[in-house]
Amino acid sequence: MKLIGQPLMTWLIAAFLLKLPPETTHIAVLLAALPTGTGSFMLAEFYDREAALTGRIVLASTVLSIATISLYLAIAGT
């Protein structure tokens, strides 16, 4: 959901609800398509709560984001 749903919702909101210019919408979608940050891992490690699982999710979203961001860029034509 993070790599597909969030960029899709960002595009819908930016383009149709807020009516942002195409360049700004493009930037917003790219930012939304970034993988899960390491902040969640650091919090899980700090509070000793599922750090290993959180680390695997960060790694998986980083690897998968290569495909989803590349797909978006191919569709967007940039």
Side-chain angles (χ1 to χ4, degrees):
M1 285 301 295
K2 164 66 177 107
L3 297 176
I4 296 172
Q6 187 173 346
L8 179 61
M9 289 302 298
T10 301
W11 175 72
L12 291 171
I13 291 170
F16 299 107
L17 186 63
L18 300 176
K19 298 189 184 339
L20 295 177
E23 299 83 17
T24 307
T25 299
H26 179 67
I27 292 168
V29 172
L30 279 175
L31 288 173
L34 293 175
T36 303
T38 59
S40 57
F41 172 75
M42 293 185 329
L43 285 172
E45 185 72 27
F46 182 78
Y47 289 108
D48 198 24
R49 298 283 190 254
E50 301 292 338
L53 174 63
T54 307
R56 287 192 299 269
I57 290 171
V58 169
L59 177 62
S61 71
T62 301
V63 171
L64 292 172
S65 72
I66 295 168
T68 57
I69 291 174
S70 298
L71 179 65
Y72 171 72
L73 291 174
I75 291 170
T78 53

